[in-house]
Amino acid sequence: SDGAPALALGLEKGDSDIMRQPPRSPKEPVINRDMAIGIGVVGIVDAAAILTVFYLALQRFPGHLEAAQTMAFVTLCTSEMIRAFTARSEYHSVFSIGVFSNRWMVWAVGVSFLLVLMVVYVPFLRPFFDTVPLTAGDWLFMLPFFFASPIAMELLKVYFRKRSGHANETESLPPAFAAGPVRTPAGQASVAHEFRGPAMLRVLIPIDASRNCQVAVQHVIRQFMNNTAMEIHLLNVQLPFSRYVAGFVSRKTLHDYHRDQGEIALRPIRQMLNNFGIPYSSHIEMGERAKIITDTARRLHCDQIVMATARKNSLTRLVEDSVTNKVLELTTVPVEVIAGDAVSKFERYGIPAALAAALAALLVALD
């Protein structure tokens, strides 16, 4: 039940304040004090919840050992899958980082839960695991126990935050990296944001490595040709490493890496603007993408955010936790969304089909 979620944890973005934390001491053990406390508390709560379910199930079904074992098994698996969401950060609440912000975790937990349902409800699998089918009443009975260890972990995080003073803030790269020079056609550079003349339309274009960003820039170039009173800002947002990775790498090395990756993403966009002789300012920052885009637009007093996004259906956007949707929720700055490339047939049809199949299997199982 925890194999796929464990792999999904490896794709976690990492805490937004990772660069504010001091380097991990080389003498600190792999399982440090906080981790040991978490393992101990969660282990005790998990054991108590599962044994309680097992005992109460025996009281409900006297003489039916397999029913009690099945309910204990399902409680163990399901609580571990829910707790995987809380395990994504050692200090920050799952609600502050976004319950569904790691789409790989959503898929991993969904697949794992489907496997648990198969073990319980598919007839030819039940003999291998000594399980019996559960009723809707059994699931309602187990429901509170599913959340015992996740709630315990979230309460521990509150204690850890109060003790160590962790704040749920977004970290930016140092000023030397955050704002690049304004590029001119002649290759000269001036101080960032030093645009002169009449009031200009300030436009922020978030840039990543996708081709869709080039579509957004092409749109802005066409606008610039009609109105040169435009101040263009390019923003690349680098995702922070997990604290378990960043703790073993120096801060300077991390800064250099993020700066280099940002420069790589910005290079083709800069070339496009230089080809048309359009001045611009570039910025490389680090943190959660939607929040950084929103904060930067506010800090630079931008009049407009121009974003390009792949043409996806609503269901796919819901599962994938779209950055564009998040920006629209967070910002008060007008956002112009440009349609980019179409998604693959797998994303367009495969994701809805998979979700429909999972829902159908669940309905059949509960019938």
Side-chain angles (χ1 to χ4, degrees):
S1 63
D2 57 0
L7 293 175
L9 282 175
L11 299 172
E12 186 62 36
K13 299 174 183 177
D15 292 341
S16 59
D17 64 346
I18 187 68
M19 298 307 295
R20 295 184 187 274
Q21 301 173 24
R24 185 186 181 106
S25 170
K27 297 181 180 179
E28 184 178 350
V30 175
I31 300 179
N32 58 22
R33 180 171 175 268
D34 288 352
M35 192 180 299
I37 292 174
I39 293 173
V41 170
V42 170
I44 292 172
V45 173
D46 254 341
I50 294 165
L51 291 175
T52 301
V53 168
F54 181 75
Y55 173 77
L56 295 178
L58 284 178
Q59 303 303 309
R60 293 183 66 194
F61 309 106
H64 292 277
L65 180 61
E66 286 187 344
Q69 290 175 334
T70 301
M71 294 177 71
F73 167 74
V74 170
T75 301
L76 169 63
C77 294
T78 307
S79 64
E80 283 297 293
M81 286 184 277
I82 296 174
R83 195 173 66 81
F85 287 98
T86 71
R88 292 164 52 206
S89 175
E90 189 174 357
Y91 295 101
H92 296 298
S93 166
V94 65
F95 300 105
S96 67
I97 62 177
V99 178
F100 303 111
S101 58
N102 184 344
R103 69 176 185 272
W104 300 110
M105 180 63 72
V106 176
W107 278 103
V109 169
V111 170
S112 298
F113 186 67
L114 185 60
L115 292 175
V116 171
L117 292 178
M118 291 174 63
V119 167
V120 174
Y121 292 105
V122 175
F124 75 86
L125 291 177
R126 291 203 297 265
F128 294 99
F129 295 90
D130 291 328
T131 58
V132 295
L134 300 177
T135 65
D138 296 333
W139 285 94
L140 289 175
F141 169 77
M142 295 183 294
L143 184 61
F145 298 95
F146 292 162
F147 295 92
S149 62
I151 290 175
M153 194 66 242
E154 288 298 305
L155 292 176
L156 263 181
K157 291 181 186 180
V158 174
Y159 164 71
F160 290 152
R161 287 198 299 271
K162 288 184 177 180
R163 189 197 62 192
S164 60
H166 274 267
N168 188 20
E169 299 175 354
T170 302
E171 171 72 15
S172 297
L173 289 175
F177 300 160
V182 178
R183 305 293 180 181
T184 64
Q188 299 174 342
S190 59
V191 179
H193 321 314
E194 194 174 305
F195 293 90
R196 300 184 180 182
M200 293 188 176
L201 177 70
R202 290 191 178 96
V203 178
L204 178 67
I205 313 175
I207 302 297
D208 57 26
S210 70
R211 185 184 176 281
N212 290 323
C213 293
Q214 299 183 24
V215 176
V217 174
Q218 289 169 355
H219 174 75
V220 173
I221 289 174
R222 287 192 293 269
Q223 287 185 324
F224 185 88
M225 295 305 176
N226 296 324
N227 176 23
T228 57
M230 183 181 294
E231 182 178 314
I232 299 174
H233 294 273
L234 307 177
L235 172 65
N236 174 261
V237 183
Q238 293 289 310
L239 296 176
F241 284 107
S242 164
R243 63 179 287 108
Y244 301 108
V245 175
F248 296 95
V249 183
S250 70
R251 182 170 298 184
K252 182 180 183 304
T253 300
L254 289 174
H255 285 165
D256 291 344
Y257 173 81
H258 288 303
R259 181 188 58 191
D260 292 342
Q261 292 301 306
E263 293 292 337
I264 291 172
L266 288 168
R267 188 177 300 142
I269 306 302
R270 286 172 171 163
Q271 186 62 46
M272 290 174 61
L273 294 172
N274 289 338
N275 289 342
F276 285 91
I278 300 176
Y280 59 89
S281 178
S282 58
H283 312 263
I284 302 173
E285 299 203 10
M286 186 176 68
E288 197 275 319
R289 285 196 175 108
K291 188 176 188 306
I292 289 291
I293 292 170
T294 303
D295 291 346
T296 303
R298 182 173 58 251
R299 174 170 56 83
L300 298 177
H301 305 289
C302 290
D303 303 296
Q304 185 181 31
I305 301 173
V306 178
M307 304 181 68
T309 182
R311 299 193 296 273
K312 303 177 183 180
N313 56 46
S314 300
L315 184 58
T316 303
R317 289 193 182 281
L318 176 64
V319 173
E320 290 190 348
D321 194 44
S322 166
V323 174
T324 303
N325 287 348
K326 275 193 172 183
V327 171
L328 290 170
E329 292 174 5
L330 294 174
T331 189
T332 57
V333 177
V335 179
E336 185 174 8
V337 180
I338 310 300
D341 294 335
V343 297
S344 65
K345 290 184 178 180
F346 172 76
E347 287 183 278
R348 182 173 294 275
Y349 303 111
I351 291 177
L355 290 177
L359 180 60
L362 179 59
L363 292 175
V364 171
L366 295 177
D367 188 4

